[in-house]
Amino acid sequence: MSDSWEALSWPGRSLGQAIPALAQACGLTYRNAPLPSPVAQAGAPASAWSTWLEDAASWLGLELELVGTFYPEVEQMLAGAAPALIQLPGEGEPRFILLVGGTRRKVKLLTPELRRVHLPLQRLHEVLCQELERAREPVLQRMLSATQVPEGRRARVRAALLRNQLRSRWVGGCWLLRYPPGASFWNQVKQRKLHLKLLTLVAAQAFSYGGWLLAWWLLGRGALSGRLDPGVILGWAALLVALVPLRMLMAWMAGRMSVEGGGLLKQRLLAGALWLEPEEIRSEGVGRTFSRVLEAEAVESLTMGGGVQAVLALLELVFAGAILAVGAGGGVHLALLLVALAAGALVGWRYARLRAQWTGLRLLLTHELSERMLGYRTRLMHETLEQWHHDEDQGLSQYLSVSRRMDGVQVLLGTLPRVWMVLGLLGLLHTLVSAPASPEGLAVGIGGMLLARQALVRANLGLSRLIDAVLAWDKVGPLYRAAARGQEECAPGALVAPLTDSAEKGPEKVVEARGLGFQYPGRTRPVLQGAELSLMRGERTLLEGPSGSGKSTLAALLSGVRIPTEGLLLSQGLDHATLGLRGWRRRIVLVPQFHENHVLTGAFAFNLLMGRSWPANAQDLREAESLCQELGLGDLLQRMPGGLQQVVGETGWRLSHGERSRLFIARALLQRPSMVILDESFAALDPITLKRCMECVVRRAPALMVIAHP
């Protein structure tokens, strides 16, 4: 690495100062707390540095996500990555570039002296990809010499050849710094600059209205004064033509805002769904969970679309009111517009109540249908044939009755613009009868009426969407609030530990429990009470007991899936408050029972390595394949056309019960924890495969607990 890059980059030992400096330079709000520098040991793996970076960002209330891309898209990634940390290739202590801004041509870096330096993007691209390109350089030079490419074109030809030859090579080492999904939504909006885009959209809309009004004012003034010469016509036409690209830009901006804002909202709802407690999901049942998913889709599109429509409608109404006030109708027209708006508000309130009732009935029917489809055997056992559809008939009858009333109110709400036109004409007629009006005043009054009608049409659409979004929010609100649970700060104990693999640590007490107890919320008796346990590195423990004795609850407590309600629980001498949830779950990994574990639709390698950073590097893939061979999954890899990259899951290659069990075991071992807990993971295996898997787990797990029935 050149001396210039040494001066521009931050050493790994200074990351404790680098991350807050980058956050402050990019305007991110973070927790004002000291961040210890990483304690690096010789030969610390890259995964350890990545883990420390993620924990450090979490300690500050931020998030660092490791990303990468294929070689041809590296420049595009760098141009839009800021704020980001980029690890420079090289041996020894890692060094990082702090990226605070970027365009297609230049990037802006933050140096250790807190200076902002602008560099050509190509220079950063070269230093990141130099190792990949250096291996191809001799072949490229021979090709360029043999084909006698002119010197002036060699750089472009060389770049094209590299893109073609390295198109499948992955370039990583980039961490994006941002707010986590559970952080303040307003802070996330500010980071994406959505509030500025909304203000720009409103300003563009105001400018568009101003230009439109000016164009028709020119034409109307010329026509009414009898001086409609070619210059006036040209000015009118030029203004209208100039508004066309502005309207196109506004439509693009509104769509872009809806996509970005909807993406933020969907990301938060997904994070909230992942942070729900198992009891919260089980208590709802499949039907209500499915209804919540449906409403989550609705709230994303309706909130953003309805919000933009409502803002634009409000702006149009302000313009319309100002024009009506100076038109022939004057105060009478303005008062009639307020009356129309008040009537629309009353009808909208009635529509909102009916819509809420209709939505509740619809979701109830969805819930009952889902539950009955899943529990049809219970219906056959406990209900007579005459009773099968009794509840459905009543529910459908009530649903149709509310639907008819809601549709009638919605039609009434849709007639509001027409009602306004009638009121506006009556107001204009009253003005003509009471006092003579100038042609200019009449033209302005009619123009204001038309503009108000357009605003009411837009307001009607925006109001309907916002009402639907508010009702949908009643179902997805718990998901939105649950995302904040993931904001638990990473404890400093996870940051001061040396950067090394857990497998390299010496003998120590992995877990210790004293007087451990747990009681489910709402229950009078604890499930577990007074449990005592001590497990050292290298020990193997078999936990047996009848069903309902608390074995799985103890496993959930030890692994951090549940928090004890009483007693003391330590891992390597540290408690939950010191390690934090991330640090605890990283040390003790649970393989839950089969019905509580899942295969996600994706590559087989992804399901194996989802506990590590993704996409996986070549070393991780080799380790995963080696472990699969030890667990007896080698035949499966040979049968699957894509091998480790074969898509599995509900829409991919179907795995048998035993193959899934071994996948779950491999997933846990590949996380390199200090302790592995297997909850009835061998129940679906034949004796030969069970023996093989047990030998593999005993050999690889630093500490092991196996839960089984006696």
Side-chain angles (χ1 to χ4, degrees):
M1 187 183 302
S2 63
D3 293 338
S4 60
W5 285 110
E6 291 278 353
L8 294 174
S9 60
W10 295 65
R13 60 180 178 275
S14 300
L15 285 176
Q17 297 81 40
I19 299 176
L22 178 61
Q24 185 174 9
C26 296
L28 300 182
T29 304
Y30 60 94
R31 182 173 179 265
N32 188 16
L35 185 62
S37 297
V39 182
Q41 292 185 349
S47 59
W49 285 97
S50 179
T51 299
W52 190 92
L53 284 169
E54 294 173 3
D55 288 346
S58 178
W59 171 243
L60 297 177
L62 302 172
E63 182 180 73
L64 274 170
E65 180 186 4
L66 178 61
V67 299
T69 187
F70 293 102
Y71 177 86
E73 286 82 35
V74 170
E75 292 187 3
Q76 182 179 356
M77 178 188 72
L78 296 176
L85 282 82
I86 301 175
Q87 185 176 356
L88 297 177
E91 300 295 334
E93 182 183 15
R95 302 191 69 88
F96 296 85
I97 288 290
L98 269 57
L99 188 64
V100 297
T103 63
R104 293 183 178 180
R105 295 176 178 267
K106 290 187 176 182
V107 292
K108 184 169 27 175
L109 311 179
L110 186 67
T111 68
E113 293 80 20
L114 302 183
R115 293 185 300 108
R116 303 193 182 198
V117 178
H118 295 264
L119 290 177
L121 185 144
Q122 184 61 30
R123 284 192 59 190
L124 185 55
H125 177 274
E126 290 172 356
V127 72
L128 288 179
C129 304
Q130 60 184 356
E131 294 182 0
L132 291 175
E133 296 175 353
R134 187 183 298 119
R136 302 278 180 172
E137 194 64 33
V139 178
L140 291 178
Q141 291 300 330
R142 288 197 299 269
M143 292 177 61
L144 295 174
S145 300
T147 53
Q148 298 180 355
V149 177
E151 289 293 336
R153 299 182 58 188
R154 285 202 171 193
R156 295 177 57 188
V157 174
R158 176 181 176 274
L161 291 173
L162 284 172
R163 284 195 299 270
N164 182 62
Q165 296 183 11
L166 300 175
R167 62 182 180 275
S168 61
R169 299 299 297 272
W170 187 261
V171 179
C174 178
W175 283 268
L176 303 182
L177 182 65
R178 62 190 182 190
Y179 291 109
S184 167
F185 198 75
W186 173 242
N187 285 340
Q188 298 181 61
V189 166
K190 288 195 298 183
Q191 186 184 15
R192 297 287 186 94
K193 300 181 179 178
L194 292 180
H195 62 305
L196 298 179
K197 294 177 182 178
L198 178 60
L199 292 176
T200 304
L201 179 62
V202 172
Q205 186 80 352
F207 186 78
S208 173
Y209 285 145
W212 182 77
L213 293 174
L214 179 60
W216 287 104
W217 177 79
L218 283 175
L219 186 64
R221 182 180 180 185
L224 294 174
S225 62
R227 292 184 286 108
L228 198 61
D229 52 41
V232 173
I233 299 295
L234 281 176
W236 169 75
L239 282 172
L240 292 182
V241 170
L243 292 178
V244 172
L246 181 61
R247 293 288 178 92
M248 294 175 63
L249 177 63
M250 289 166 50
W252 177 82
M253 290 179 61
R256 184 71 179 269
M257 281 188 54
S258 297
V259 170
E260 293 186 6
L264 283 179
L265 185 59
K266 180 179 288 186
Q267 189 180 42
R268 184 179 181 104
L269 294 179
L270 177 59
L274 295 175
W275 278 100
L276 288 177
E277 295 292 338
E279 287 75 21
E280 295 178 90
I281 300 175
R282 292 194 187 102
S283 62
E284 290 191 338
V286 176
R288 288 192 177 89
T289 303
F290 180 59
S291 301
R292 195 185 296 276
V293 173
L294 295 177
E295 295 303 290
E297 290 292 332
V299 77
E300 175 203 347
S301 58
L302 295 174
T303 300
M304 301 309 301
V308 172
Q309 291 284 350
V311 170
L312 297 182
L314 181 61
L315 185 63
E316 287 183 350
L317 287 172
V318 171
F319 268 91
I323 294 172
L324 289 173
V326 299
V332 175
H333 257 168
L334 191 58
L336 290 174
L337 178 60
L338 294 176
V339 170
L341 291 176
L346 290 175
V347 176
W349 176 76
R350 175 61 177 167
Y351 172 78
R353 294 191 60 184
L354 288 173
R355 186 75 179 187
Q357 189 177 358
W358 177 84
T359 301
L361 290 172
R362 176 173 60 86
L363 296 180
L364 180 61
L365 289 174
T366 303
H367 166 69
E368 292 181 347
L369 177 62
S370 302
E371 293 294 332
R372 290 182 182 274
M373 288 175 65
L374 292 175
Y376 67 96
R377 290 190 178 89
T378 304
R379 163 179 279 190
L380 293 176
M381 292 286 294
H382 299 286
E383 293 183 2
T384 63
L385 181 62
E386 293 77 11
Q387 294 177 322
W388 277 12
H389 304 291
H390 179 71
D391 294 340
E392 288 95 327
D393 292 340
Q394 286 187 338
L396 285 173
S397 176
Q398 189 177 5
Y399 173 78
L400 292 175
S401 174
V402 175
S403 297
R404 283 192 292 268
R405 285 185 289 159
M406 184 187 68
D407 291 342
V409 175
Q410 189 173 18
V411 170
L412 183 61
L413 190 62
T415 61
L416 184 62
R418 299 185 180 90
V419 172
W420 155 246
M421 291 299 295
V422 173
L423 292 176
L425 289 174
L426 291 176
L428 201 60
L429 181 62
H430 174 269
T431 302
L432 292 175
V433 172
S434 61
S438 64
E440 293 86 352
L442 286 174
V444 172
I446 293 174
M449 288 171 51
L450 295 174
L451 186 59
R453 180 187 180 280
Q454 178 181 343
L456 289 173
V457 171
R458 189 189 293 271
N460 186 15
L461 178 61
L463 179 64
S464 299
R465 290 186 173 182
L466 283 178
I467 289 174
D468 291 344
V470 170
L471 296 176
W473 184 259
D474 182 57
K475 299 297 180 183
V476 303
L479 297 181
Y480 181 91
R481 293 185 289 272
R485 302 176 189 175
Q487 280 297 98
E488 179 187 356
E489 299 158 350
C490 175
L495 298 175
V496 299
L499 297 179
T500 181
D501 271 345
S502 59
E504 299 175 359
K505 298 179 182 178
E508 57 187 356
K509 187 175 291 186
V510 176
V511 65
E512 182 179 7
R514 301 174 187 171
L516 199 63
F518 181 77
Q519 181 175 333
Y520 287 102
R523 297 189 183 182
T524 57
R525 298 181 60 184
V527 180
L528 197 68
Q529 192 173 20
E532 303 282 340
L533 176 69
S534 179
L535 191 64
M536 302 290 293
R537 181 177 294 273
E539 290 185 346
R540 281 79 177 95
T541 301
L542 175 63
L543 180 61
E544 292 183 329
S547 298
S549 58
K551 302 187 302 298
S552 296
T553 301
L554 176 61
L557 293 174
L558 296 178
S559 60
V561 176
R562 302 188 187 279
I563 304 301
T565 54
E566 62 180 37
L568 177 66
L569 183 60
L570 303 175
S571 175
Q572 300 171 1
L574 303 174
D575 59 4
H576 274 281
T578 305
L579 289 175
L581 197 56
R582 289 171 178 261
W584 188 279
R585 291 180 176 177
R586 193 177 293 128
R587 286 163 171 78
I588 304 177
V589 174
L590 167 67
V591 181
Q593 295 182 17
F594 189 86
H595 63 278
E596 294 185 351
N597 219 332
H598 306 281
V599 177
L600 303 183
T601 299
F604 190 74
F606 171 74
N607 279 276
L608 287 169
L609 296 165
M610 60 188 304
R612 296 191 184 182
S613 59
W614 185 263
N617 55 41
Q619 181 180 354
D620 289 342
L621 292 175
R622 286 193 297 269
E623 184 180 351
E625 185 173 5
S626 174
L627 180 56
C628 288
Q629 296 289 345
E630 293 183 35
L631 292 172
L633 292 173
D635 293 340
L636 172 65
L637 296 179
Q638 291 179 359
R639 292 197 311 270
M640 293 191 300
L644 282 175
Q645 302 305 325
Q646 178 68 43
V647 176
V648 296
E650 295 299 326
T651 59
W653 189 284
R654 297 297 182 92
L655 302 177
S656 69
H657 199 125
E659 290 167 347
R660 288 190 175 206
S661 297
R662 284 174 283 173
L663 167 62
F664 300 149
I665 294 172
R667 179 189 293 172
L669 293 174
L670 286 170
Q671 296 179 50
R672 298 174 181 167
S674 300
M675 177 180 175
V676 176
I677 304 175
L678 303 179
D679 193 354
E680 301 185 19
S681 300
F682 301 121
L685 303 181
D686 60 85
I688 298 177
T689 306
L690 189 150
K691 180 176 182 297
R692 183 173 184 173
C693 293
M694 179 61 75
E695 291 174 350
C696 174
V697 172
V698 169
R699 183 170 57 252
R700 283 181 171 263
L704 177 64
M705 173 181 285
V706 177
I707 299 176
H709 286 290

